[in-house]
Amino acid sequence: MVPTPITVRVPAKVNLHLSVGDSRQDGYHELVTVFQALSLTDEITVRSSDEPGIEVHGEGSESVPLDSDNLAWRAVLELARASGRDPDETGVHISINKGVPVAGGMAGGSADAAATLFALNALWKLELGRDELSEIAGRLGSDVPFALQGGTALGTGRGERLVPVLARHTYHWVIALHGEGLGTPEVYTELDRLRRNSDNRVGEVEPLLEALASGDPRELALLLGNDLQAAAVSLRPGLRRTLRAGVDAGALAGIVSGSGPTCAFLCTDGDEAVRVAAELSGAGVCRTVRVAQGPVPGARLVGDEHVDRPPTPPQVHA
């Protein structure tokens, strides 16, 4: 009997705070970050198949690898090894429907890997707990464990060590997407280069955690910070115009999301976010504008009656 295909919905992330330490001996940087999961999502369907492989649909899908360079396929191999299966005989086909920007600094590839782990756990009836899946996820990439967890969380180490954070508010965001992605290694290399001449860094994370607990978006807006922003802007100088245009349109604050080039703008409420998105879309400073909210849950089975599906965010084309 062929098992029923499993579909999982998984969110994008934005870094509300991203403090990047010096490069470690293993080549990674020590991070202190606060993640928030947003209502931009990918959907991943995993099924048993005599023709294993990956197919990708949606915006930016042409640039997503369809081999072992795809983090979702690496998740298949990693979970196979962890569960005693032959990685060369997985018999799995993955279908990815992209709603998270590709190479946009919102952890779309990591989200797909997390969703694949979650789906295969159900398809193969492994009954692994979320903590066990998170341990496997951490071996795949720094952002993969958070995509499993969702919500709002403090990440340390490479970002893979997570502690849930209390957030007393639904926060409303405008997301400005750009046509050309940025590679995360490229941005970190540029940050290291910039720091040889100037070593400006974001402040401590505690005030931002207090702002999240207060539930006041205006207070939170004052404390958003990302050490990678300067490097992303150095590589894509046009991001300065995007960040300025979003604030001019009425956003409380704007920030480059992760390694960029996507920019995220915090707004006072949902109506204001739609208004800011409409104005920003006409400013000619980005390719597409979307509205999102957070926090939302991490990877979840589609049709799970215990979890409400986040509303589909409106999309505004520039």
Side-chain angles (χ1 to χ4, degrees):
M1 183 175 179
V2 179
T4 303
I6 303 293
T7 299
V8 171
R9 184 176 298 114
V10 65
K13 62 84 180 169
V14 64
N15 299 84
L16 311 181
H17 174 100
L18 181 51
S19 172
V20 180
D22 296 328
S23 180
R24 308 187 314 196
Q25 287 188 343
D26 61 6
Y28 289 98
H29 291 70
E30 194 73 20
L31 304 181
V32 176
T33 187
V34 177
F35 299 105
Q36 184 163 98
L38 301 185
S39 56
L40 299 180
T41 60
D42 283 357
E43 283 193 3
I44 287 77
T45 298
V46 175
R47 59 174 55 86
S48 296
S49 174
D50 294 332
E51 298 180 359
I54 304 175
E55 59 181 282
V56 185
H57 307 278
E59 192 173 6
S61 60
E62 66 281 352
S63 63
V64 178
L66 302 178
D67 54 17
S68 58
D69 288 336
N70 190 304
L71 204 56
W73 192 253
R74 287 166 53 194
V76 174
L77 302 180
E78 191 67 35
L79 189 59
R81 283 188 286 265
S83 59
R85 292 171 176 259
D86 185 348
D88 296 324
E89 300 291 339
T90 57
V92 166
H93 186 86
I94 304 172
S95 178
I96 301 174
N97 285 300
K98 296 297 297 179
V100 179
V102 175
M106 302 192 79
S110 295
D112 297 343
T116 300
L117 289 176
F118 198 80
L120 281 178
N121 187 42
L123 185 75
W124 289 345
K125 302 186 186 306
L126 300 178
E127 298 184 354
L128 298 176
R130 202 168 281 263
D131 287 346
E132 294 171 284
L133 287 177
S134 292
E135 182 178 344
I136 297 169
R139 299 200 289 267
L140 291 166
S142 303
D143 294 334
V144 183
F146 177 72
L148 280 172
Q149 175 174 311
T152 306
L154 174 68
T156 56
R158 292 183 288 111
E160 83 285 7
R161 297 199 298 265
L162 300 173
V163 177
V165 168
L166 178 65
R168 295 184 181 274
H169 191 75
T170 295
Y171 294 93
H172 298 273
W173 298 87
V174 173
I175 308 299
L177 309 181
H178 289 262
E180 185 180 2
L182 274 173
T184 300
E186 177 187 11
V187 177
Y188 274 95
T189 298
E190 179 67 5
L191 175 65
D192 292 337
R193 187 190 70 80
L194 292 175
R195 281 182 169 174
R196 290 197 288 269
N197 298 315
S198 176
D199 198 11
N200 295 325
R201 306 189 184 214
V202 299
E204 297 297 322
V205 70
E206 284 76 12
L208 181 131
L209 298 178
E210 294 171 3
L212 283 167
S214 77
D216 185 350
R218 292 174 180 82
E219 186 177 343
L220 178 64
L222 296 172
L223 297 164
L224 299 176
N226 178 6
D227 275 340
L228 292 179
Q229 181 163 308
V233 170
S234 176
L235 294 168
R236 297 284 188 277
L239 293 178
R240 289 191 183 90
R241 291 182 58 222
T242 306
L243 292 165
R244 189 181 312 117
V247 174
D248 289 346
L252 296 173
I255 190 171
V256 171
S257 177
S259 57
T262 301
C263 296
F265 298 93
L266 181 60
C267 299
T268 53
D269 55 38
D271 290 342
E272 183 69 2
V274 171
R275 191 196 64 76
V276 169
E279 184 168 336
L280 187 60
S281 70
V285 295
C286 58
R287 176 176 52 81
T288 303
V289 177
R290 299 183 188 176
V291 175
Q293 65 184 46
V296 300
R300 292 293 186 275
L301 295 176
V302 171
D304 188 338
E305 65 275 13
H306 301 297
V307 179
D308 292 332
R309 177 175 182 170
T312 300
Q315 179 170 322
V316 184
H317 291 282

